[in-house]
Structure formats: C-alpha cells, structure tokens
Amino acid sequence: DLTSLGVWSFAYATISSINLPSTLKTIYGEAFTGSDLTSVTIPGNVELIDNYAFTGNSKLTSVVISEGVKVLSYGLFSYCDQLQTLELPSTLIFMASELVRNCNNLTKVISNMTEPIEIEGDVFSSRQNWNSSLGRYDYTPCPATLFVPNGTLSKYQSIEGWTVFKNMVELGGVEAIIIGKSGKASYC
C-alpha cells in the first residue's frame, strides 16, 4: 500500500488528474510542483503535506482538503494562478503562511471549521510593507469570498488572519448572509 509520495514524485508531470489512495499518509515537498493537475482531493488520513507540495500548478482550479487533515504547510498552493475554489476541513489545527500566494483567481474558500483557528495574515493574502505603528505587516485583502458554517461568522470576523477576506458568507440552510467590509448585511 502506498503511504507516501516523495519529493518531486509528480513534479512537472503532464497528468490532469490523480486519485490519491486512502492509505496515503505523507505528501513530501514539491511532490506535484508544476504539474498539470486540474483538481485534487486530499484524503483525510494524510498527516503531512510538506512545503510547496502543489506550488506552481498553472491548471489547478479546485482543491478539496478532506476531513481528517490537520496541517497545511508553507506555500502549499502558492502560484497556482488558476485556482478558484479551496475547501478546508473542520479538523485543521494549523495553516502555514502563503498557503495560496499569488492565486489571483481564487474566488471561493469554504471553511468547515466551527471553531476557526488562529492564522497569520498572509495565509490568504500577500504581505505588504512593515507597519511600524502597528508592529506588523500590512496585508492585501483577499478577493475571494469566505464561506463559513452557520453561527460562526462573528468568530471568523474576530480573528485577524481571517479578516483579510473582503466578503464572508455564513451558510445556513437555504439562506446565506453576506457581510462585506462595510459591515452591512445582505441576504440571498
């Protein structure tokens, strides 16, 4: 049974899809760098996805991280310039910086965490200049819409790393509440 994919296993491969086995535990750094994957689902029993494992996939449009995955490493999907949708499990305990750096077409992030974790401001955005009066970097807003579980919107809005999203949508059955940076709610 396959339990790990080594460094550069499928780097620059011309494969558009892959079925990762449920026995997979580890995806080492740059395993899929620059490949032609168009979508990927990470199985829930994966314990380690190493730095830059999927970086530079110019055709990747959709990523689903399955329930069970706990850690997302540095720069995991950076420079995946066609990435549009990213789904995160409720089981995450850590996301490293620059998860989706320069993923300028990202439009939808779905978080299934009812208790959102603390994250750095550059997980979903890019660092800007050092702001000495605040003692931290300023971050560019993330143009994607963040979809969160019903009843959790205020939790996400209170954690600085999540506030880089211009729009957050609370999912609750048929109705969704959209609250933009202005703080005004609209219903759809």
Side-chain angles (χ1 to χ4, degrees):
D1 291 338
L2 182 66
T3 59
S4 66
L5 293 173
V7 174
W8 292 73
S9 296
F10 291 94
Y12 303 100
T14 56
I15 56 170
S16 60
S17 66
I18 191 167
N19 290 321
L20 298 174
S22 61
T23 56
L24 190 63
K25 299 282 185 203
T26 306
I27 301 172
Y28 285 103
E30 302 182 55
F32 291 95
T33 291
S35 73
D36 288 341
L37 290 173
T38 56
S39 66
V40 67
T41 297
I42 311 281
N45 54 319
V46 172
E47 297 168 356
L48 172 67
I49 310 169
D50 206 1
N51 296 345
Y52 301 110
F54 292 89
T55 193
N57 278 258
S58 63
K59 296 180 181 178
L60 187 63
T61 61
S62 174
V63 174
V64 175
I65 314 284
S66 298
E67 290 295 317
V69 174
K70 294 181 180 177
V71 175
L72 301 180
S73 296
Y74 186 86
L76 198 56
F77 301 104
S78 60
Y79 301 98
C80 294
D81 54 1
Q82 295 305 309
L83 184 61
Q84 297 170 11
T85 305
L86 174 63
E87 184 169 350
L88 304 170
S90 66
T91 52
L92 281 179
I93 59 171
F94 180 77
M95 285 190 288
S97 295
E98 300 186 4
L99 182 71
V100 291
R101 181 179 185 174
N102 289 347
C103 295
N104 299 322
N105 288 305
L106 187 64
T107 57
K108 182 193 292 186
V109 175
I110 303 163
S111 175
N112 291 299
M113 290 179 272
T114 55
E115 294 297 328
I117 59 174
E118 297 280 336
I119 60 173
E120 294 293 324
D122 64 347
V123 170
F124 293 103
S125 67
S126 298
R127 287 184 183 183
Q128 295 299 307
N129 297 320
W130 179 256
N131 185 327
S132 58
S133 65
L134 295 176
R136 64 170 174 77
Y137 284 98
D138 287 327
Y139 300 103
T140 57
C142 181
T145 298
L146 175 64
F147 293 85
V148 300
N150 188 31
T152 64
L153 188 60
S154 62
K155 293 177 185 179
Y156 282 87
Q157 290 173 325
S158 69
I159 299 174
E160 186 175 346
W162 294 101
T163 62
V164 299
F165 285 93
K166 290 182 179 180
N167 292 303
M168 294 185 193
V169 175
E170 188 171 81
L171 299 175
V174 178
E175 186 179 89
I177 303 170
I178 301 175
I179 299 184
K181 284 288 182 188
S182 68
K184 294 183 180 179
S186 60
Y187 301 89
C188 57

